[in-house]
Amino acid sequence: GPKVLQIPSHQIIDMGQMVTLNCDPVSNHLYFYWYKQILGQQMEFLVNFYNGKVMEKSKLFKDQFSVERPDGSYFTLKIQPTALEDSAVYFCASSLQPNQDTQYFGPGTRLLVL
Amino acid sequence: GDSVTQTEGLVTLTEGLPVMLNCTYQTIYSNPFLFWYVQHLNESPRLLLKSFTDNKRTEHQGFHATLHKSSSSFHLQKSSAQLSDSALYYCALSVISYNVLYFGSGTKLTVEP
């Protein structure tokens, strides 16, 4: 089936540094999402993105977070600066349509902030 | 706010026995969409079932679920568990929005021989 790729699979960085998580969504999809999963907890919505704009974001999407997809390349989540509480698995997803269309998930990037 | 509750964190059962994983949700919206996602070890979560029709059974790959708005439930069932069903199962809710999914905490299903 359709696949979403995420690069890197693991990332370890020092607190205060910048990190960029990359997502390669399904090729014809138009809607993109990031979810965060802290160890032992449920996946939580961070942000969705369409046509170059953030459509919705949760309270977890702090000012230090930003997303973009320049020229149809990777859909990225940037955290600058990182904090200890940013340690989590970050899942990217994409869908063709909005409104309850199936979201296809990537395998996640495991981020550890020291 | 909108939320999903999965009461069982861990379910262990023997191959061949029936599976039932509980999911209840909370929302003020009258037309929720409910989803079950499955995540096998070292793989991405993938959609197993979805429904928005009240009291209609939805089936896929031997699993089935029925959305009951009266009880705000969307339990996942299978008549006979297989070893390959061992995985994490997430129930999720979507309401009026740009497809935001609200996930439950997940149930880890382990099927033993």
Side-chain angles (χ1 to χ4, degrees):
Chain A
K3 283 202 183 297
V4 174
L5 304 177
Q6 289 187 242
I7 302 162
S9 58
H10 296 78
Q11 180 86 53
I12 302 174
I13 59 170
D14 291 323
M15 182 177 62
Q17 285 190 316
M18 181 193 76
V19 68
T20 300
L21 309 184
N22 298 293
C23 172
D24 188 9
V26 178
S27 60
N28 63 335
H29 283 185
L30 302 173
Y31 295 83
F32 313 110
Y33 315 81
W34 283 104
Y35 291 84
K36 175 182 180 181
Q37 186 175 34
I38 294 173
L39 186 64
Q41 299 182 22
Q42 63 228 70
M43 266 190 282
E44 292 191 89
F45 170 75
L46 281 175
V47 66
N48 54 12
F49 188 85
Y50 166 72
N51 197 26
K53 288 182 276 194
V54 170
M55 306 306 294
E56 286 182 89
K57 58 185 180 180
S58 74
K59 61 180 187 300
L60 296 179
F61 194 78
K62 304 179 296 183
D63 291 343
Q64 298 90 324
F65 287 36
S66 62
V67 290
E68 64 176 354
R69 193 186 186 211
D71 301 322
S73 60
Y74 287 146
F75 174 51
T76 62
L77 173 65
K78 185 185 291 186
I79 310 174
Q80 181 177 26
T82 50
L84 296 177
E85 61 265 27
D86 297 331
S87 294
V89 180
Y90 290 84
F91 289 94
C92 173
S94 69
S95 68
L96 182 59
Q97 301 284 348
N99 301 330
Q100 294 77 40
D101 192 24
T102 298
Q103 292 183 33
Y104 291 86
F105 282 80
T109 293
R110 283 146 186 82
L111 176 66
L112 179 60
V113 182
L114 301 176
Chain B
D2 304 305
S3 65
V4 172
T5 301
Q6 293 180 249
T7 51
E8 310 108 342
L10 292 168
V11 171
T12 302
L13 47 77
T14 304
E15 188 180 17
L17 290 180
V19 178
M20 179 156 167
L21 307 183
N22 291 316
C23 172
T24 56
Y25 64 90
Q26 186 173 3
T27 181
I28 61 171
Y29 296 103
S30 56
N31 295 308
F33 277 66
L34 273 296
F35 303 78
W36 276 101
Y37 277 83
V38 58
Q39 185 179 21
H40 287 92
L41 192 61
N42 298 322
E43 295 184 10
S44 308
R46 64 172 175 83
L47 181 70
L48 182 58
L49 292 173
K50 68 178 179 182
S51 178
F52 61 91
T53 307
D54 199 12
N55 298 317
K56 182 180 176 184
R57 176 169 158 145
T58 301
E59 298 190 41
H60 185 61
Q61 295 185 336
F63 287 90
H64 63 92
T66 303
L67 175 59
H68 291 298
K69 292 184 182 180
S70 60
S71 58
S72 299
S73 66
F74 190 58
H75 305 318
L76 182 68
Q77 296 179 269
K78 188 177 186 185
S79 58
S80 175
Q82 298 176 288
L83 296 176
S84 57
D85 295 330
S86 294
L88 265 170
Y89 290 82
Y90 293 101
C91 184
L93 163 73
S94 180
V95 292
I96 299 173
S97 71
Y98 283 94
N99 215 5
V100 173
L101 288 174
Y102 299 92
F103 283 90
S105 53
T107 297
K108 183 178 180 182
L109 175 65
T110 302
V111 181
E112 297 176 334

